């Protein structure tokens, strides 16, 4: 995993190359700085995993953490979330104040909000906002609020899961679907990345992570001329897509949190082409 200093250097590079992304990249920089504070590497996670159950879970394609039933103490993610909201306060002070008040009053239930990120059952806990940008940022921060705790689980059990051989297209740690991945320089294999917990796992190159389709004729990819490093793998059976950073022929490692953000134009393109 690329270090914080490297990540920040990458961000600065991207900012000068893509000035239109600079506002988002500033938010990401502040977020990564905060994340570091909440990621005490030696600390135990708020999530409990029964190590003995791992082989069976992997065999059955069940993620280690089940957000529909597992219990955890949300105090730490909540305090991280409130710090993250401060970043949004620079843009939307009133909205942040209102949300913070409602969280303190108990009118909004933080734990329900984060569970809904992982198990989307109903939207009722989310305050409906007119301002989509603010709402998107809140969802982004909600997801991020659990990242340090989930990352601890990914670090602790990731090797074991890779050894056992996880073959699903969703994350073995937290169950979420990937939006981005990479082809490694060394083994030229494809790895999918979970932005909820930071875990990466190997997944066959010619296979759709979302529906399992392996027919070469219905799998394709596109790139933007002049930027062949980042491509979009699409499946014409389920009409889903995933962004892939091709690191072959490159010395540099990629920070996929950063890459995901600076490739938003590819998401827009994919949506325009009818993929979701
Ligand atoms: Zn995950
Ligand atoms: Zn598919």
């Amino acid at each position: 995993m690329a270090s914080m200093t490297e990540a920040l250097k990458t961000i600065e590079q991207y900012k000068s190359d893509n000035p239109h992304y600079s506002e988002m990249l500033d938010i990401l920089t502040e977020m990564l700085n905060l994340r570091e504070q909440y990621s005490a590497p030696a600390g135990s996670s708020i999530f409990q995993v029964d190590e003995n159950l791992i082989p069976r879970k992997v065999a059955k394609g069940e993620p280690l953490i089940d957000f529909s039933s597992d219990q955890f103490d949300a105090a730490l993610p909540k305090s991280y979330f409130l710090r993250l909201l401060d970043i949004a306060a620079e843009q939307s002070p009133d909205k942040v104040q209102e949300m913070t008040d409602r969280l303190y009053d108990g009118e909004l239930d933080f734990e329900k909000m984060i569970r809904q990120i992982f198990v989307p059952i109903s939207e009722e806990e989310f305050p409906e906002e007119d301002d989509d940008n603010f709402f998107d940022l809140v969802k982004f921060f909600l997801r991020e609020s659990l990242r340090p705790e989930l990352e601890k689980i990914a670090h602790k059990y990731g090797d074991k899961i890779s050894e056992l051989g996880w073959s699903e297209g969703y994350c073995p740690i937290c169950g979420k679907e990937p939006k981005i991945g990479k082809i490694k320089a060394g083994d030229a294999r494809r790895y999918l990345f979970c932005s909820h917990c930071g875990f990466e796992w190997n997944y066959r190159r010619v296979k759709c992570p979302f529906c399992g389709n392996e027919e070469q004729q219905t799998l394709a990819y596109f790139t933007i001329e002049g930027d062949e490093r980042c491509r979009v793998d699409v499946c014409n059976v389920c009409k889903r897509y995933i962004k892939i950073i091709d690191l072959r022929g490159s010395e540099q490692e990629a920070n996929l949190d950063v890459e995901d953000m600076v490739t938003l134009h590819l998401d827009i393109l994919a949506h325009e082409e009818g993929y979701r």
Side-chain angles (χ1 to χ4, degrees), residues 150 171-176 194-199 201:
L150 289 173
C171 175
I173 306 291
C174 71
K176 292 302 279 186
C194 175
S195 49
H196 292 74
C197 69
F199 189 63
W201 68 103

Side-chain angles (χ1 to χ4, degrees), residues 29 35 77 83 113 124 145 150 192 201 207 209 230 242 275:
T29 305
R35 184 193 290 171
R83 297 279 306 277
M113 285 165 82
E124 63 188 283
S145 71
L150 289 173
L192 308 183
W201 68 103
K207 185 172 180 176
C230 184
I242 183 165
Y275 299 100

Side-chain angles (χ1 to χ4, degrees), residues 164-231:
L164 290 164
W166 178 260
S167 54
E168 307 294 340
Y170 49 86
C171 175
I173 306 291
C174 71
K176 292 302 279 186
E177 288 178 337
K179 284 169 63 201
I180 193 164
K182 67 182 182 191
I183 294 177
K184 273 194 187 171
D187 57 12
R189 295 205 293 172
R190 183 169 71 155
Y191 289 79
L192 308 183
F193 174 75
C194 175
S195 49
H196 292 74
C197 69
F199 189 63
E200 285 176 14
W201 68 103
N202 176 235
Y203 194 79
R204 293 185 57 177
R205 285 260 296 272
V206 186
K207 185 172 180 176
C208 170
F210 309 108
C211 74
N213 170 31
E214 295 182 68
E215 269 180 70
Q216 200 135 23
Q217 309 94 291
T218 47
L219 294 165
Y221 72 87
F222 65 83
T223 56
I224 290 182
E225 223 185 303
D227 185 16
E228 277 75 20
R229 183 172 165 273
C230 184
R231 63 182 221 198

Side-chain angles (χ1 to χ4, degrees), residues 233-274:
D233 285 5
V234 302
C235 170
N236 286 313
V237 169
C238 69
K239 300 300 264 182
R240 301 281 306 266
Y241 76 96
I242 183 165
K243 295 180 288 189
I244 298 291
I245 310 294
D246 191 343
L247 295 170
R248 286 172 298 175
S250 150
E251 298 283 289
Q252 268 183 327
E253 253 299 313
N255 180 302
L256 294 179
D257 286 319
V258 182
E259 298 285 349
D260 186 27
M261 199 168 252
V262 297
T263 49
L264 259 184
H265 52 282
L266 291 175
D267 293 283
I268 293 166
L269 255 184
H271 291 157
E272 280 170 3
E273 295 294 321

Side-chain angles (χ1 to χ4, degrees), residues 54-74:
I54 295 178
R56 200 165 55 185
K57 285 198 165 195
V58 170
K60 283 162 73 181
E62 287 174 5
L64 293 195
I65 297 161
D66 178 358
F67 280 92
S68 63
S69 62
D70 289 1
Q71 298 300 308
F72 56 88
D73 179 356

Side-chain angles (χ1 to χ4, degrees), residues 12 16 32 37 44 65 75 95 99 128 144 152 156 179 183 213 223 242 255-256:
E12 283 311 312
S16 57
L32 291 177
Q37 290 178 35
S44 61
I65 297 161
K95 289 187 175 119
M99 180 166 278
E128 274 310 325
E144 172 64 20
K152 288 178 194 167
K156 194 165 176 188
K179 284 169 63 201
I183 294 177
N213 170 31
T223 56
I242 183 165
N255 180 302
L256 294 179

